[in-house]
């Protein structure tokens, strides 16, 4: 029998406490999913690194805080790098708790892009589900995810088809998108503002291309986000006339969206196969059109000509030309797209459908995995 109300154990990323910003887009994904799942009446337990903050309005969620050393991200590892689990690491401790709590839950939902939880999946009793947050950034992770896709296809979901295309999967990917609390984003209609860019300041995000567009147009570029790679930030800053970049820092969502909503366009310039691209959807939620490279998640999220413009990857002249056409985009249409496709409610429903399909598959004698 498939339950209608699920009891779920959610396991946070081990890269930093929730609310620190170190987890990148995964933090926002978790917050909106927790809110969305609660609104649907599901019961949640959150296992997260010590110091994590529950999303607002979610104090009823039981949180197990776990002490330990942060896990290094796969994001900047060499493609053939080995698994590293530091001494006193938080990762195995999160999973000790998760497996114990999972024994009395319907499913355990993992948000960390790490070897351990995926490797554990066929080896433990609780049903582990993985929302994969990156593309194939490591060969080892890629192989492991592909193996799991063959033995436990329903246990994997992805944010976009573009992200999933990095993996040789045994069946069509389960794609759940992402979700946002729209009450946190205000539609701003005036489209006459500055150029904006947002994201972790790190080479794979391609800030230098957005800066080149600002320079060519003789405009300033407002930049929001965590400076993850200080030497990269300094080299981008040194490559342009002073004052071109206006560093706004890493702001809480309320302030971030208020400032972002003033922009006439958000430039999104990924150099990697971005799994989703939260900032793209946050801009759209504020009514800000997005001009982006047709690469990774943003290439799938933006409806070129309706919510922004897509240009060929790494084509800076194309970006510049597209910026001159943002006045053709209706800012209401941008917001509307988010309401229909990426609200926290829509996202939570997709995730529940995925987990229920996994539970059903477990119960079917043909697909029995245990
Ligand atoms: N962000 C923020 N404040 C800022 C700038 C960015 O909270 O001033 C958040 C933003 O809401 C988004 C995350 O940083 O959730 C960046 O996520 P994205 O998916 O764009 O990229 P990732 O860092 O996961 O590669």
């Amino acid at each position: 029998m498939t339950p209608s109300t699920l009891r779920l154990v959610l396991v946070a990323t081990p890269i930093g406490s929730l609310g620190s910003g170190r987890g990148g887009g995964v933090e926002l994904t978790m917050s909106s999913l927790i809110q969305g799942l609660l609104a649907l009446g599901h019961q949640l337990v959150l296992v997260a690194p010590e110091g994590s903050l529950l999303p607002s309005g979610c104090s009823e969620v039981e949180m197990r805080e776990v002490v330990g050393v942060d896990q290094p991200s796969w994001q900047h590892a060499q493609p053939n790098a080995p698994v590293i689990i530091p001494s006193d690491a938080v990762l195995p401790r999160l999973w000790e708790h998760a497996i114990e709590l999972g024994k009395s839950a319907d499913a355990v939902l993992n948000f960390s892009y790490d070897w351990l939880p995926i490797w554990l999946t066929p080896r433990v009793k609780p049903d582990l589900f993985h929302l994969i947050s990156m593309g194939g950034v490591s060969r080892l992770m890629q192989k492991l995810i592909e193996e799991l896709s063959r033995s436990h296809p329903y246990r994997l979901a992805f944010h976009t088809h573009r992200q999933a295309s990095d993996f040789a999967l045994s069946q069509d990917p389960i794609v759940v998108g992402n979700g946002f609390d729209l009450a946190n984003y205000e539609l701003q209609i005036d489209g006459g503002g500055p150029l904006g860019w947002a994201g972790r300041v790190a080479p794979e995000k391609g800030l230098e291309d957005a800066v080149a567009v600002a320079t060519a147009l003789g405009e300033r570029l407002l930049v929001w986000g965590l400076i993850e790679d200080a030497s990269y930030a300094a080299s981008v800053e040194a490559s342009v006339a002073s004052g071109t970049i206006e560093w706004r820092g890493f702001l809480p969502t309320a302030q971030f969206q208020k400032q972002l909503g003033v922009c006439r366009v958000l430039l999104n310039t990924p150099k990697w196969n971005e799994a989703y691209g939260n900032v793209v959807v946050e801009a759209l939620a504020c009514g800000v059109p997005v001009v982006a490279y047709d690469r990774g998640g943003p290439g799938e999220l933006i409806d070129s000509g309706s919510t922004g413009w897509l240009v060929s990857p790494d084509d800076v002249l194309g970006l510049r030309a597209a910026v001159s056409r943002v006045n053709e985009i209706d800012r209401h249409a941008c917001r509307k797209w988010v309401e229909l496709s990426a609200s926290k409610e829509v996202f939570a429903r997709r995730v529940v459908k995925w987990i229920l399909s996994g539970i059903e598959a477990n119960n079917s004698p043909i697909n029995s995995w245990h």
Side-chain angles (χ1 to χ4, degrees), residues 26-367:
V26 178
E27 294 192 24
L28 197 74
T29 300
M30 288 203 70
S31 288
S32 46
L33 187 60
I34 290 171
Q35 291 171 330
L37 290 171
L38 276 187
L40 293 177
H42 300 290
Q43 270 180 42
L44 311 177
V45 183
L46 174 64
V47 184
E50 190 188 28
S52 289
L53 303 172
L54 280 170
S56 68
C58 297
S59 52
E60 71 205 76
V61 174
E62 179 189 336
M63 179 160 69
R64 285 284 171 93
E65 290 186 65
V66 180
V67 183
V69 173
D70 287 352
Q71 188 66 17
S73 169
W74 282 100
Q75 205 150 31
H76 300 121
Q78 290 300 315
N80 55 358
V83 176
I84 293 172
I85 299 185
S87 151
D88 297 324
V90 74
L91 177 68
R93 294 186 187 155
L94 287 172
W95 284 92
E96 269 167 17
H97 284 269
I99 289 167
E100 201 44 46
L101 290 162
K103 288 177 186 161
S104 53
D106 295 301
V108 178
L109 182 50
N110 167 42
F111 293 84
S112 86
Y113 188 98
D114 273 296
W115 173 83
L116 180 63
I118 299 186
W119 183 85
L120 283 170
T121 308
R123 295 171 171 86
V124 295
K125 192 96 182 74
D127 292 343
L128 312 188
F129 289 74
H130 310 274
L131 178 49
I132 303 296
S133 60
M134 288 194 278
V137 292
S138 127
R139 292 214 185 93
L140 186 148
M141 285 298 292
Q142 198 162 2
K143 194 158 164 266
L144 191 68
I145 288 168
E146 290 170 0
E147 276 168 17
L148 190 67
S149 148
R150 286 192 286 279
S151 66
H152 294 65
Y154 288 97
R155 303 296 186 82
L156 293 167
F158 300 85
H159 288 294
T160 59
H161 287 91
R162 296 273 183 107
Q163 172 203 9
S165 70
D166 268 4
F167 304 95
L169 302 171
S170 65
Q171 59 171 34
D172 285 346
I174 296 170
V175 172
V176 293
N178 213 345
F180 298 80
D181 184 354
L182 282 161
N184 291 338
Y185 301 88
E186 184 195 343
L187 170 64
Q188 296 194 48
I189 288 305
D190 183 4
L195 307 175
W197 186 95
R200 280 178 299 104
V201 181
E204 69 273 15
K205 297 288 188 173
L207 172 61
E208 65 277 16
D209 289 10
V211 168
V213 172
T215 303
L217 295 171
E219 293 191 44
R220 71 200 161 111
L221 177 73
L222 311 192
V223 173
W224 296 269
L226 192 82
I227 298 194
E228 195 175 59
D229 184 334
S231 66
Y232 166 73
S235 79
V236 176
E237 171 71 55
S239 71
V240 282
S242 114
T244 306
I245 303 179
E246 199 172 306
W247 300 99
R248 294 286 178 100
F250 182 81
L251 304 180
T253 301
Q255 284 163 262
F256 172 49
Q257 65 84 33
K258 203 171 179 63
Q259 297 185 12
L260 177 63
V262 173
C263 291
R264 79 174 185 283
V265 60
L266 180 86
L267 293 166
N268 190 257
T269 47
K271 298 283 172 182
W272 67 329
N273 187 14
E274 182 88 49
Y276 187 80
N278 283 358
V279 296
V280 168
V281 179
E282 292 177 278
L284 297 178
C286 300
V288 177
V290 183
V291 166
Y293 288 146
D294 189 1
R295 174 184 274 148
E300 192 170 317
L301 300 171
I302 296 158
D303 184 1
S304 197
S306 168
T307 59
W309 298 103
L310 290 173
V311 305
S312 300
D314 309 320
D315 178 5
V316 175
L317 290 177
L319 279 182
R320 183 189 163 172
V323 166
S324 66
R325 297 185 63 193
V326 287
N327 55 346
E328 295 172 37
I329 304 296
D330 174 5
R331 291 171 77 98
H332 290 98
C334 298
R335 170 80 181 195
K336 193 83 205 154
W337 181 89
V338 186
E339 287 171 0
L340 292 175
S341 319
S343 70
K344 65 180 195 301
E345 294 82 5
V346 167
F347 178 46
R349 276 196 286 272
R350 283 195 209 113
V351 168
V352 169
K353 190 172 166 209
W354 160 44
I355 290 174
L356 288 175
S357 71
I359 294 173
E360 292 256 296
N362 268 358
N363 294 339
S364 140
I366 305 166
N367 291 310

